[in-house]
């Protein structure tokens, strides 16, 4: 169900800014884990740990990107046609 347009136009929000920063931080953490993974011997405990941490970072990124898209959609509902 599409929300009714409001009279108050919002081009951005604190929530959009916060989630954007979280996405950037998670992306950075993912890249750090990827670099660390490349330094390990495949199959080693450290390799497996970095692999698992990368998977966690990607899951969080997926959730945050979904939240970011929802906030963007919410803001778009305030824009004039």
């Amino acid at each position: 169900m599409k929300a009714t347009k409001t009279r108050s136009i919002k081009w951005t929000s604190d929530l959009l800014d916060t989630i954007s920063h979280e996405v950037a931080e998670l992306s950075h953490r993912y890249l750090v884990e990827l670099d660390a993974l490349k330094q390990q011997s495949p199959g080693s405990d450290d390799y497996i740990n970095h692999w698992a941490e990368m998977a966690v970072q990607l899951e969080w990124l997926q959730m945050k990107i979904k939240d970011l898209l929802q906030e963007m959609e919410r803001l778009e509902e305030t824009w004039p046609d």
Side-chain angles (χ1 to χ4, degrees), residues 65-80:
I65 289 170
K66 181 180 176 187
D67 293 344
L68 187 58
L69 290 169
Q70 287 175 343
E71 178 62 6
M72 290 174 70
E73 184 177 313
R74 186 190 72 77
L75 289 172
E76 286 175 359
E77 290 298 321
T78 71
W79 297 357

Side-chain angles (χ1 to χ4, degrees), residues 46-57:
D46 287 337
Y47 186 94
I48 293 167
N49 289 336
H50 288 294
W51 185 271
E53 188 60 34
M54 284 174 40
V56 168
Q57 298 301 326

